[in-house]
Amino acid sequence: MSFRAIRGATTVAEDSKEAIEDAVVELLKSVMDQNEISENSLISILFTATPDLKSEFPATAARRVGLKDTPLICAQELDIKGSLPRTIRLLAHVDSPLSKGEIKHIYLREATSLRKDLNL
């Protein structure tokens, strides 16, 4: 196994607890499924949210996936003029047999515009 980092992002249509929870659960499940990651393979996850999201911590939403023993932390994304609104990003650190080139970084909903180079 090797230590790897996986990036991901998603957006929500509104700043509500339910919208944030649903988006984070969808993103985490996609990251884990697409990269064949189990909860035991997760080392830690850093979440960021844009300043317009105030209704829920992404890490709290992540607990719905069952991540009880994984260290999680949240931070506010930089407030850059013209940046994509209502965006949640993650950086997951994992143990994985996949090479860096085999890792699938996951961008959902409007966040696909953030990484056009990935051909999502």
XYZ file of all heavy atoms in Angstrom, residues 50-52 78-87 89 110 113-114:
132
model
N -16.992 27.033 0.653
C -16.958 28.452 0.333
C -17.686 29.240 1.428
O -18.531 28.684 2.142
C -17.589 28.707 -1.054
O -18.869 28.062 -1.121
C -16.699 28.184 -2.169
N -17.349 30.519 1.585
C -17.908 31.317 2.682
C -19.433 31.443 2.675
O -20.015 31.783 3.702
C -17.263 32.692 2.489
C -16.026 32.439 1.712
C -16.335 31.262 0.834
N -20.079 31.134 1.555
C -21.538 31.241 1.491
C -22.254 30.008 2.056
O -23.479 29.971 2.101
C -21.995 31.528 0.058
C -21.402 30.574 -0.969
O -20.683 29.631 -0.587
O -21.646 30.794 -2.166
N -10.846 29.990 0.389
C -10.538 31.387 0.110
C -11.700 32.047 -0.626
O -12.325 31.435 -1.495
C -9.274 31.495 -0.740
C -7.983 31.034 -0.067
C -6.851 31.013 -1.079
C -7.660 31.935 1.095
N -11.981 33.271 -0.289
C -13.074 34.028 -0.895
C -12.525 34.815 -2.079
O -12.234 35.997 -1.978
C -13.696 34.953 0.146
C -15.001 35.562 -0.311
O -15.543 35.123 -1.347
O -15.480 36.484 0.372
N -12.365 34.132 -3.197
C -11.771 34.718 -4.400
C -12.880 35.230 -5.318
O -13.841 34.504 -5.615
C -10.902 33.678 -5.149
C -9.819 33.106 -4.232
C -10.317 34.280 -6.420
C -8.819 34.113 -3.724
N -12.748 36.463 -5.762
C -13.733 37.069 -6.651
C -13.891 36.202 -7.911
O -12.914 35.813 -8.538
C -13.270 38.476 -7.039
C -14.259 39.238 -7.872
C -13.755 40.642 -8.153
C -14.742 41.407 -9.005
N -14.279 42.773 -9.281
N -15.148 35.886 -8.236
C -15.443 35.104 -9.428
C -15.356 33.601 -9.241
O -15.565 32.855 -10.200
N -15.046 33.131 -8.037
C -14.941 31.684 -7.831
C -16.323 31.044 -7.780
O -17.339 31.711 -7.577
C -14.146 31.374 -6.561
O -14.812 31.857 -5.418
N -16.356 29.748 -7.959
C -17.604 28.996 -7.985
C -18.278 29.053 -6.617
O -17.668 28.688 -5.607
C -17.304 27.541 -8.384
C -18.489 26.628 -8.635
C -19.326 27.142 -9.814
C -17.997 25.216 -8.914
N -19.530 29.506 -6.546
C -20.220 29.598 -5.249
C -20.718 28.240 -4.761
O -20.808 27.281 -5.530
C -21.391 30.536 -5.542
C -21.682 30.343 -6.990
C -20.342 30.038 -7.640
N -21.043 28.187 -3.470
C -21.649 27.019 -2.815
C -20.893 25.726 -3.136
O -21.473 24.724 -3.528
C -23.133 26.914 -3.182
C -23.963 28.117 -2.725
C -25.416 28.034 -3.139
N -25.603 27.730 -4.549
C -25.511 28.613 -5.549
N -25.238 29.866 -5.285
N -25.692 28.231 -6.797
N -19.583 25.773 -2.942
C -18.714 24.652 -3.300
C -18.088 24.023 -2.068
O -17.617 24.717 -1.171
C -17.602 25.133 -4.260
O -18.221 25.705 -5.417
C -16.696 23.998 -4.681
N -15.123 21.229 -1.115
C -13.977 20.484 -1.642
C -13.473 19.519 -0.578
O -13.676 19.740 0.613
C -12.858 21.453 -2.030
C -13.184 22.343 -3.214
C -12.068 23.379 -3.416
N -12.222 24.132 -4.634
C -12.960 25.234 -4.764
N -13.626 25.716 -3.728
N -13.037 25.867 -5.914
N -21.851 21.148 -10.464
C -21.203 22.292 -11.119
C -19.686 22.302 -10.914
O -18.970 23.004 -11.629
C -21.806 23.598 -10.617
C -23.242 23.815 -11.057
C -23.810 25.112 -10.521
O -23.136 26.151 -10.628
O -24.933 25.073 -9.987
N -16.679 21.996 -13.591
C -16.042 23.128 -14.274
C -14.690 23.488 -13.669
O -13.898 24.185 -14.305
C -16.953 24.349 -14.230
O -17.088 24.849 -12.901
N -14.413 23.000 -12.474
C -13.135 23.314 -11.812
C -11.968 22.541 -12.405
O -10.815 22.977 -12.294
C -13.234 23.000 -10.306
C -14.247 23.809 -9.520
C -14.366 23.259 -8.108
C -13.874 25.277 -9.506
